[in-house]
């Protein structure tokens, strides 16, 4: 009986937490100033992309071309204190709706409140992909099958979401040595990744995953692994107005959404379809961006705890090692057990 009471109380708490998050997002709508609103062009069945960005002119050309090639119907962007040419570039794109805000990134739960409002307003009953501009989604058969094909398979499998491993890509040599041109495929510059080990555990009460590993864990957080970045995400969800992201896209409410994925197969026997977000954070602009973000202090709950992390990235470390694996595509990640085709043949 105590266990049943505990489960009831946990479910009650999660319901109220979700309602509070939705209320926060509703209030945050006042932070958003429309720059160009083309949401009347969204069609039933469109796969939508939602993202928050700041000064991403370098990555946006490839980001848009990649997701357009996968069949995205519309992009919804929030720009936060952006002062480069990103706004002008996005405003010209016919499949983009754009909002600007000067409000605090940290105060908005690192942009999640703004995105949750847009998901509530425009994403209901759509498959919604919530990603950062430095995240490139790949999934089984992505070279021949579109996102609408993928979401149709997920619906046939009664899946409400698809999990993904955030896979840090890095160059061979110091981070500031390669050259990268806008529109270029970042995997031509960020050529390697860590195949493992990755560790995963399930956390209560939201039943969310916590996956860690990769080069940042290996090099910078080796002596304090609990502080290493979280690498599991839930980027693709058939959205409902009842849903809310809890911690970036690492977890969501209601808790059943977090059960869509059990992590990389190297630490799990899960066979459901999953993908990977190729993380292009380590393009050569990372050095200047790290110095800037340390000064802005808009990331992490206690920014001062991560000053040494930004100092480390500002030093242009070399993340390559003899065990690094050259990236070759989605089939390689399936063979390594990092993503699963989930029976999609």
């Amino acid at each position: 009986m105590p266990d049943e009471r505990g489960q009831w109380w946990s479910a009650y708490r999660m319901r109220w937490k979700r309602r509070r998050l939705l209320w926060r997002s509703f209030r945050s709508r006042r932070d958003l100033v429309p720059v160009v609103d083309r949401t009347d062009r969204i069609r039933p069945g469109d796969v939508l992309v939602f993202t928050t960005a700041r000064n991403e002119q370098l990555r946006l050309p490839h980001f848009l071309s990649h997701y357009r090639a996968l069949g995205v119907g519309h992009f919804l962007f929030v720009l936060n204190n952006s002062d480069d040419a990103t706004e002008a570039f996005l405003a010209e794109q016919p499949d983009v709706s754009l909002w600007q805000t000067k409000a605090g990134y940290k105060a908005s739960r690192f942009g999640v409140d703004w995105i949750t409002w847009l998901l509530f307003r425009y994403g209901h009953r759509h498959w919604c992909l919530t990603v950062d501009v430095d995240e490139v989604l790949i999934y089984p058969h992505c070279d021949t099958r579109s996102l609408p094909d993928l979401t149709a398979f997920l619906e046939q499998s009664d899946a409400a979401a698809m999990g993904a491993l955030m896979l840090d890509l890095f160059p061979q040599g110091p981070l500031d040595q390669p050259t990268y041109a806008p529109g270029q495929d970042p995997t031509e510059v960020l050529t390697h990744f860590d195949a493992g080990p990755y560790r995963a555990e399930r956390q209560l009460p939201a039943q969310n995953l916590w996956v860690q590993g990769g080069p940042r864990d290996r090099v910078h957080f080796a002596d304090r692994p609990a502080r290493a970045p979280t690498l599991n995400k839930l980027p693709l969800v058939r959205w409902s107005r009842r849903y809310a992201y809890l911690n970036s896209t690492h977890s969501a409410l209601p808790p059943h959404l977090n059960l869509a994925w059990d992590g990389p197969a190297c630490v799990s026997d899960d066979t459901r379809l999953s993908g990977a977000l190729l993380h292009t954070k380590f393009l050569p602009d990372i050095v200047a961006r790290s110095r800037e973000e340390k000064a802005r202090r808009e990331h992490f709950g206690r920014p001062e705890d991560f000053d040494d992390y930004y100092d480390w990235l500002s030093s242009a470390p070399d993340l390559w090692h003899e065990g690094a694996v050259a990236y070759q595509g989605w089939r390689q990640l399936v063979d390594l057990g990092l993503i699963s085709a989930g029976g999609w043949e």
Side-chain angles (χ1 to χ4, degrees), residues 255-316:
H256 74 82
L257 294 172
N258 298 317
L259 302 178
W261 187 50
D262 283 342
C266 59
V267 292
S268 168
D269 294 327
D270 186 37
T271 58
R272 286 164 290 184
L273 191 147
S274 59
L277 292 168
L278 304 182
H279 194 206
T280 68
K281 179 183 182 73
F282 300 124
L283 287 176
D285 68 334
I286 184 62
V287 173
R289 292 181 74 102
S290 295
R291 293 174 183 148
E292 182 181 10
E293 291 306 321
K294 178 183 176 181
R296 290 182 71 231
R297 308 185 77 77
E298 285 284 338
H299 286 77
F300 306 113
R302 288 172 49 90
E304 63 274 13
D305 291 343
F306 289 86
D307 283 351
D308 64 329
Y309 173 65
Y310 284 126
D311 290 340
W312 171 66
L313 290 176
S314 298
S315 71

Side-chain angles (χ1 to χ4, degrees), residues 211-256:
V211 176
Q212 294 176 294
R216 289 178 285 176
D217 179 278
R218 167 174 52 83
V219 178
H220 186 66
F221 293 100
D223 60 343
R224 42 192 171 161
R227 290 178 58 184
T230 301
L231 301 182
N232 55 283
K233 290 209 166 185
L234 199 67
L236 184 61
V237 180
R238 191 176 189 276
W239 203 258
S240 164
R241 293 193 180 103
R242 299 181 298 107
Y243 296 169
Y245 276 119
L246 181 59
N247 174 24
S248 180
T249 58
H250 300 305
S251 58
L253 293 175
H256 74 82

